[in-house]
């Protein structure tokens, strides 16, 4: 892919992620889910790790609230594994999302 196309795809992935957040603000879960899936797909295409991690954690949390715990665990762990594999110092960029994912996974493992 050309650099310009990569930048457009990264921007579109980020836009889809932000649209998902807006839909969630208004309680439109099915629309948010579609946007999150699209954001994840686009982010994977161009190795946009930040958007992928943020969208996967958001999707995992959304599934957790829908009591779809196995699917939630999958997405939360996928995001954490991607972050770990990258060995990047994200500073404060993903702290809130990562802490939330770790908390949800930890709470799930404690429950019967």
């Amino acid at each position: 892919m050309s650099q310009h196309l990569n930048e457009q795809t990264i921007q579109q992935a980020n836009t889809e992620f932000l649209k998902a957040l807006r839909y969630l603000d208004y309680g439109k879960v099915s629309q948010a889910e579609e946007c999150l899936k699209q954001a994840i797909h686009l982010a994977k295409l161009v190795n946009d790790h930040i958007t992928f991690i943020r969208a996967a954690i958001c999707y995992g949390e959304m599934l957790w609230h829908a009591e779809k715990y196995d699917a939630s665990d999958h997405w939360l762990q996928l995001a954490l594994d991607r972050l770990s594999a990258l060995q990047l110092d994200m500073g404060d960029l993903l702290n809130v999302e990562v802490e939330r994912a770790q908390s949800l996974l930890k709470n799930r493992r404690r429950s019967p």
Side-chain angles (χ1 to χ4, degrees), residues 3-78:
Q3 180 65 25
H4 179 70
L5 190 54
N6 278 351
E7 290 172 9
Q8 285 181 320
T9 305
I10 289 169
Q11 183 60 40
Q12 184 61 37
N14 191 52
T15 298
E16 290 297 320
F17 174 68
L18 295 174
K19 281 175 30 182
L21 295 180
R22 179 65 66 150
Y23 279 131
L24 288 172
D25 283 345
Y26 289 101
K28 297 182 176 189
V29 176
S30 62
Q31 292 95 327
E33 181 175 13
E34 290 306 312
C35 288
L36 287 170
K37 287 178 180 178
Q38 184 67 9
I40 290 166
H41 170 73
L42 292 169
K44 281 176 26 178
L45 284 177
V46 291
N47 292 321
D48 177 3
H49 303 298
I50 302 300
T51 302
F52 177 87
I53 291 166
R54 293 178 76 202
I57 289 173
C58 184
Y59 188 43
E61 185 172 357
M62 189 182 82
L63 291 166
W64 190 88
H65 285 289
E67 298 180 1
K68 297 177 180 178
Y69 299 117
D70 290 338
S72 171
D73 287 355
H74 168 78
W75 285 103
L76 295 171
Q77 194 61 58
L78 195 62

